[in-house]
Amino acid sequence: MVAHVLSLKLRLLANGFKRSIGQLIGVIIGGLYALGMITMLTLAVWFAADEIPFQGEIFTLIGSAVVLGWAIIPPLLTGVDLTLEPSRFVQFGIPEKTLGPALVLAGFISIPAVLTVLGLLGASLMWRSDAGALMLGLLAAMATAVMAILLCQYLVIMATALRAKRRFRELTFALLFLLLVGLGPIMASVFSAAESMGEWIHPLSTVLGYTPLGAFAAVPGAYASALYGQMAIHLVLGAAYLGGLYVLLARATAKAAITPPPQQRAATAKGLGFFKLLPATPTGAVAARALTYWFKDPRYAVGVLIVPVLPLLFWFTGSQSGNYTMMYLMGPLIGILLGFSISADISYDNTAFALHALTGISGRADRAGRALSCFLIGIIPVLAAAILPGLVAGELWRIPGDLGLSLAALFVALGVSSVSSARYTYAVPLPGDNPMKTPPGSGMRMALTQLGIMLTMGLLLIPVLIPYAIGWFQHSQVLGFITLGAGLVLGIGLVFAGIALGGKWYEKRTPELMQSVMLNK
């Protein structure tokens, strides 16, 4: 039975690449890139092994980071390969003692697992000058990889019930997005801390060496330093952690294999929500429905989260360089990113687009309602981001220009998105899916479509950018008011033009749009 389950996992992994040529090409390119990076880093470690300071501490930190990454990212944020999820075996009546170990071993058959093992083995080559330490380093690398993957599997099973809850998925997505946006400041802080590495790396690695994260990774460093007693402690702790983790995982897997998956509960609705606040017209109904999704659909969360994140990111960058110029561009960036968010509105609807198609709502009402919802969400953040930087800095002359460019960016983005979402659809994460998920084979088309939309927005903003840039360099408030006037005229004009043109495309292509969103393409 164990061999049969492993062969089934291999077959499923191979068949997954046959579903889409685009997916296969993407996996090949991604795999080659990852292998190339691992090879380059391995060669660098090999040739610089004698010059690497704090070898034992660095290897412990690397192993701990790998285990921690496997413990956080797949269970809480992205999930793992669920083709052999234990709950799928509920109806087969396979003995727990057989199925548990089989599914545990099947978890090692994945591309990320193989890359993790190769990367850790490459890092262990920093001990090439000492044969004993090198042998222990290779064994520690394998044991650390096993610890990481087993811990990931256990936490995935434990988090299954939580992942069934929408609020948990939204929270974890928000954390992932904030982590990605803050990656630059985080890396800058790491590089800054590297200057004083000698002060913190030893105590940190010492603590990690006694935890499940770095117990095995600390073994070769202790051996190379002739701390044989400490090495024995790390070995005993690592073996105890790994053995206990395997027992917990086997039990959790066996229990999950006989327990039906948790069912999601439908949310209880109270009152009419936004439908009570907006006019009882086709445009108002569409706007109320779109506003509901802005607050409840995590796929719209990127547009919302960017509002508080951009000021923090630009402030941190300015505090590092001493130049806070980017703070003055928050308004235009927030405006264009929020407006761009509705460029996939119809694609996000999926089957719910039938509400619009079957009721025969006019194209203008559909376009105007979606644009109105985004405007209501974005107008206050855009105004605040355009006015506050100049007000805080005491540069009142620049507020009209910043306000004009920011409003123009929001209006132009709404106008262009009103046309593009009715003319072009592409595959997006389905309702309830991970918002960071990329549907197979859709990456290139999505990237090209979004790039074309953003370029169009940038080109249409040029008439406003010219007086804004001149006024910036001349510190001219007069040119700022000219920018404000031009931004309002151009932006409002393009919003109405986009709603009209998008409405025509919508009415002309309603059947095609319905087919596209049903097939998610």
Side-chain angles (χ1 to χ4, degrees):
M1 177 57 68
V2 174
H4 180 73
V5 172
L6 294 178
S7 65
L8 178 62
K9 179 62 180 290
L10 284 171
R11 190 178 305 172
L12 289 171
L13 182 63
N15 290 341
F17 299 140
K18 299 179 182 179
R19 296 179 182 177
S20 169
I21 299 298
Q23 181 185 17
L24 178 60
I25 294 174
V27 170
I28 292 175
I29 295 175
L32 290 176
Y33 176 79
L35 284 175
M37 291 296 295
I38 290 174
T39 302
M40 290 177 58
L41 292 175
T42 301
L43 291 174
V45 169
W46 176 269
F47 288 109
D50 295 331
E51 302 176 3
I52 298 177
F54 311 109
Q55 286 183 325
E57 290 83 353
I58 290 177
F59 192 70
T60 302
L61 293 179
I62 292 174
S64 301
V66 169
V67 177
L68 185 62
W70 274 86
I72 293 177
I73 297 175
L76 299 182
L77 303 176
T78 63
V80 295
D81 183 7
L82 298 181
T83 52
L84 292 182
E85 187 178 13
S87 59
R88 297 190 175 190
F89 292 83
V90 171
Q91 295 87 358
F92 294 99
I94 302 174
E96 299 178 14
K97 294 182 179 180
T98 302
L99 184 60
L103 294 181
V104 170
L105 292 175
F108 290 86
I109 303 177
S110 69
I111 293 177
V114 173
L115 294 176
T116 297
V117 172
L118 293 177
L120 286 172
L121 290 176
S124 66
L125 295 181
M126 68 173 63
W127 307 105
R128 66 176 179 82
S129 301
D130 187 331
L134 176 60
M135 184 61 64
L136 288 174
L138 294 173
L139 294 175
M142 293 295 299
T144 301
V146 172
M147 179 79 78
I149 297 169
L150 291 184
L151 183 59
C152 172
Q153 292 180 345
Y154 178 71
L155 293 178
V156 165
I157 294 175
M158 293 295 99
T160 298
L162 291 174
R163 290 203 314 273
K165 299 178 180 180
R166 180 174 59 84
R167 293 300 181 189
F168 178 79
R169 296 197 302 269
E170 293 175 358
L171 176 61
T172 53
F173 165 69
L175 292 176
L176 176 61
F177 179 77
L178 293 175
L179 177 63
L180 292 176
V181 172
L183 191 60
I186 291 173
M187 294 303 297
S189 300
V190 170
F191 290 138
S192 176
E195 299 177 358
S196 57
M197 180 182 294
E199 300 177 3
W200 57 265
I201 190 171
H202 181 71
L204 179 60
S205 62
T206 300
V207 173
L208 291 173
Y210 293 98
T211 67
L213 301 179
F216 283 119
V219 170
Y223 174 85
S225 301
L227 301 174
Y228 302 115
Q230 189 174 342
M231 180 190 74
I233 293 175
H234 291 309
L235 281 172
V236 172
L237 285 176
Y241 291 141
L242 190 59
L245 180 59
Y246 176 79
V247 172
L248 290 175
L249 177 58
R251 291 179 178 177
T253 302
K255 183 179 179 180
I258 60 174
T259 305
Q263 299 295 323
Q264 298 189 38
R265 294 183 179 180
T268 56
K270 296 181 180 179
L272 297 177
F274 292 107
F275 289 93
K276 184 179 180 180
L277 302 176
L278 293 172
T281 61
T283 299
V286 174
R289 176 179 175 271
L291 277 173
T292 303
Y293 281 101
W294 271 99
F295 283 90
K296 293 185 177 295
D297 193 332
R299 296 173 298 174
Y300 288 83
V302 173
V304 177
L305 288 174
I306 201 69
V307 174
V309 167
L310 272 183
L312 294 175
L313 185 63
F314 290 162
W315 176 84
F316 180 86
T317 304
S319 65
Q320 296 294 311
S321 63
N323 186 351
Y324 291 90
T325 302
M326 290 297 294
M327 295 291 291
Y328 299 112
L329 300 179
M330 284 193 307
L333 286 175
I334 291 176
I336 207 162
L337 289 174
L338 284 175
F340 176 78
S341 298
I342 65 170
S343 64
D345 242 5
I346 291 181
S347 300
Y348 282 153
D349 274 354
N350 199 251
T351 56
F353 183 67
L355 292 171
H356 297 245
L358 297 178
T359 54
I361 192 170
S362 69
R364 288 198 177 193
D366 179 273
R367 303 289 83 199
R370 296 178 191 268
L372 177 60
S373 68
C374 185
F375 174 80
L376 293 175
I377 290 290
I379 184 60
I380 292 179
V382 168
L383 290 176
I387 296 173
L388 290 179
L391 193 62
V392 172
E395 300 179 351
L396 301 182
W397 61 268
R398 67 178 311 123
I399 292 179
D402 292 341
L403 188 60
L405 183 61
S406 301
L407 291 174
L410 176 62
F411 288 137
V412 168
L414 291 176
V416 174
S417 295
S418 297
V419 177
S420 62
S421 63
R423 180 63 183 87
Y424 302 103
T425 60
Y426 47 84
V428 297
L430 295 175
D433 278 352
N434 189 318
M436 302 299 289
K437 177 181 178 181
T438 301
S442 66
M444 183 61 69
R445 180 181 178 183
M446 182 189 302
L448 292 176
T449 303
Q450 293 179 346
L451 178 61
I453 294 171
M454 295 297 287
L455 286 176
T456 303
M457 294 177 183
L459 291 174
L460 292 174
L461 276 174
I462 289 178
V464 183
L465 282 170
I466 293 175
Y468 176 79
I470 297 175
W472 182 315
F473 289 112
Q474 294 183 358
H475 293 195
S476 172
Q477 191 174 38
V478 174
L479 286 173
F481 280 108
I482 293 176
T483 301
L484 177 58
L488 289 174
V489 172
L490 177 67
I492 294 175
L494 286 177
V495 166
F496 283 103
I499 290 173
L501 181 58
K504 290 182 179 179
W505 277 113
Y506 172 93
E507 294 174 354
K508 182 179 179 180
R509 299 187 68 248
T510 300
E512 290 82 358
L513 289 173
M514 186 67 196
Q515 184 180 26
S516 296
V517 297
M518 289 290 290
L519 298 176
N520 194 29
K521 69 175 185 177

